[in-house]
Amino acid sequence: MSALKPLTGLKVVAIEQAVAAPFATCRLADAGAEVIKIERPEGDFARGYDDVAAGQSSYFVWLNRGKTSVALDLTSDAGRARLRDLIAGADVVVQNLRHGALERLGFSFEDLRRENPRLITCSITGFDPDGDMAARKAYDLLIQAESGLCSITGGPDEPSRVGVSVVDIATGATAHAAILEALIARGITGQGTAITVSMFDVMADWLTVPLLNHEGGRTPKRVGLAHPSIAPYGVFETKDGKQILISIQSDREWGKLCERFLGDVSLSQDPRFASNVNRVEHRDVTDKIVAEAFLQRSSDQALADLTKADVAFALLNDMAGLSAHPELRRITVETPNGPVTYPAPASRFDGVTRPVGPVPELDEGV
């Protein structure tokens, strides 16, 4: 089992709140690191986001398993002294407090690394910490809006947020990967490093394709459950009212769909549909032809025929569908209010899902 916990012996001090930093440190805890979560005396405000997980916050239960909670009043001399003691023995320090908050409390990462050159620090911010917007508050939906993500999300009539905290999760995953890279580098050089991860930068990186399309003269439009640059790629309804999403990724797949599902192989040679660029240009006609073929079939027939045609497809599910999905793997996590079951981490090692630690009560101590 020890081989499945590669970060055993690593000490992480996480001065964190909400989602982004807790996501990163949760993954470190899953891998065996000792993660000491520093909370305000009243607790991480994410503890109060909702009460659906055995009377506790779904966010907190999801992202804080395997950690130890230490509540500190960092405005007090005693609280700051305790934090300094904890950091003195740390390998990694992660923080996502408001811009400049730690420095104002006397915890400059530059000074900490001068005292301990092996220390890896990771600061998660909303915007460039040296930029004009550094002091602006930044939360998930705000960055979705500021980055332009909302402008390409939703249907034609209005923009929309992504239905999960995609900015926070992406930022946490980016920070996690950067910390692991820094640990590898430290193993080679013996030196730590200072990592900064901006939520805005993470989203800008993820938006490279729509940005390049815009700068290339093809500004993406909101197309709901269609794809802005691939066709046919979207949801179609069967004659019994079920919705199925298909994705045609290549002209070869289009040919298969024409022959085995649309029943008209000549469509694959029609100059309006012969290439993806042509199909996107004539999306209305393309989608109409495909929609008519779906309306001639029941959902069972459509799924069977799509399988025979070797076409990529998915059912348009909801949370009830996910809850009962045969592919859903779960773990059970112990919490102060009893066990909670939820989706397992995606990574498995030698076919095994790592065991995870319990969710801490506020101020368990170290």
Side-chain angles (χ1 to χ4, degrees):
M1 188 61 68
S2 60
L4 295 177
K5 295 282 188 175
L7 298 185
T8 297
L10 191 80
K11 183 176 179 180
V12 179
V13 174
I15 311 157
E16 62 180 20
Q17 57 195 356
V19 177
F23 184 100
T25 58
C26 176
R27 270 49 189 175
L28 299 176
D30 286 349
E34 176 192 5
V35 177
I36 302 168
K37 180 182 179 74
I38 308 301
E39 301 190 61
R40 296 179 174 90
E42 66 272 21
D44 180 345
F45 56 74
R47 286 182 180 269
Y49 276 172
D50 60 49
D51 60 359
V52 300
Q56 305 155 111
S57 165
S58 57
Y59 284 87
F60 195 88
V61 166
W62 174 39
L63 295 176
N64 292 284
R65 60 183 183 249
K67 304 177 186 180
T68 300
S69 168
V70 175
L72 296 178
D73 178 3
L74 295 180
T75 65
S76 71
D77 291 341
R80 290 193 297 273
R82 179 70 173 126
L83 178 58
R84 193 167 294 279
D85 287 344
L86 290 171
I87 291 176
D91 297 283
V92 181
V93 178
V94 180
Q95 75 91 21
N96 70 333
L97 303 186
R98 191 170 183 180
H99 175 68
L102 270 186
E103 288 82 355
R104 290 190 291 272
L105 291 168
F107 293 92
S108 160
F109 276 2
E110 183 177 338
D111 291 342
L112 293 174
R113 290 196 58 245
R114 190 179 296 113
E115 296 166 8
N116 177 8
R118 288 179 55 82
L119 183 66
I120 294 166
T121 63
C122 180
S123 184
I124 294 175
T125 65
F127 299 94
D128 180 350
D130 298 317
D132 294 339
M133 298 175 68
R136 185 191 287 193
K137 286 186 176 181
Y139 303 122
D140 183 274
L141 183 51
L142 302 179
I143 300 296
Q144 288 195 39
E146 188 77 32
S147 67
L149 176 60
C150 293
S151 76
I152 60 169
T153 305
D157 294 335
E158 60 181 344
S160 175
R161 69 178 287 269
V162 176
V164 296
S165 300
V166 64
V167 177
D168 284 331
I169 294 167
T171 301
T174 300
H176 174 239
I179 291 166
L180 295 182
E181 289 181 29
L183 287 168
I184 293 170
R186 190 180 73 171
I188 297 169
T189 67
Q191 295 294 307
T193 191
I195 302 164
T196 58
V197 181
S198 149
M199 296 164 70
F200 184 86
D201 284 349
V202 170
M203 271 301 97
D205 179 22
W206 279 34
L207 289 165
T208 295
V209 170
L211 178 64
L212 290 178
N213 272 267
H214 165 73
E215 293 176 348
R218 297 180 183 173
T219 301
K221 298 178 180 178
R222 291 186 301 276
V223 289
L225 282 170
H227 193 286
S229 54
I230 303 174
Y233 195 151
V235 171
F236 299 92
E237 190 168 302
T238 60
K239 68 180 180 181
D240 54 353
K242 296 294 178 63
Q243 292 182 305
I244 299 173
L245 191 148
I246 66 166
S247 171
I248 301 299
Q249 291 279 324
S250 68
D251 297 337
R252 180 180 58 82
E253 289 183 339
W254 170 247
K256 286 183 178 181
L257 186 76
C258 293
E259 177 185 358
R260 303 176 190 177
F261 191 81
L262 302 180
D264 186 352
V265 71
S266 69
L267 290 171
S268 63
Q269 305 301 320
D270 188 312
R272 295 173 297 171
F273 315 121
S275 73
N276 181 64
V277 172
N278 299 140
R279 292 191 295 276
V280 171
E281 184 179 352
H282 298 93
R283 183 191 297 276
D284 290 347
V285 181
T286 305
D287 286 352
K288 182 182 179 190
I289 291 170
V290 176
E292 289 173 349
F294 271 91
L295 286 172
Q296 294 170 8
R297 294 170 166 87
S298 68
S299 56
D300 288 343
Q301 290 171 328
L303 293 173
D305 290 346
L306 290 170
T307 300
K308 290 178 183 176
D310 193 26
V311 168
F313 64 86
L315 297 175
L316 186 58
N317 264 326
D318 54 17
M319 288 304 98
L322 174 61
S323 181
H325 203 288
E327 287 289 307
L328 179 61
R329 296 168 39 246
R330 292 180 179 265
I331 55 173
T332 298
V333 178
E334 294 300 323
T335 80
N337 289 2
V340 175
T341 299
Y342 57 75
S347 299
R348 284 180 278 187
F349 299 86
D350 292 329
V352 176
T353 299
R354 286 175 176 153
V356 299
V359 176
E361 294 188 40
L362 179 62
D363 198 26
E364 290 181 322
V366 178

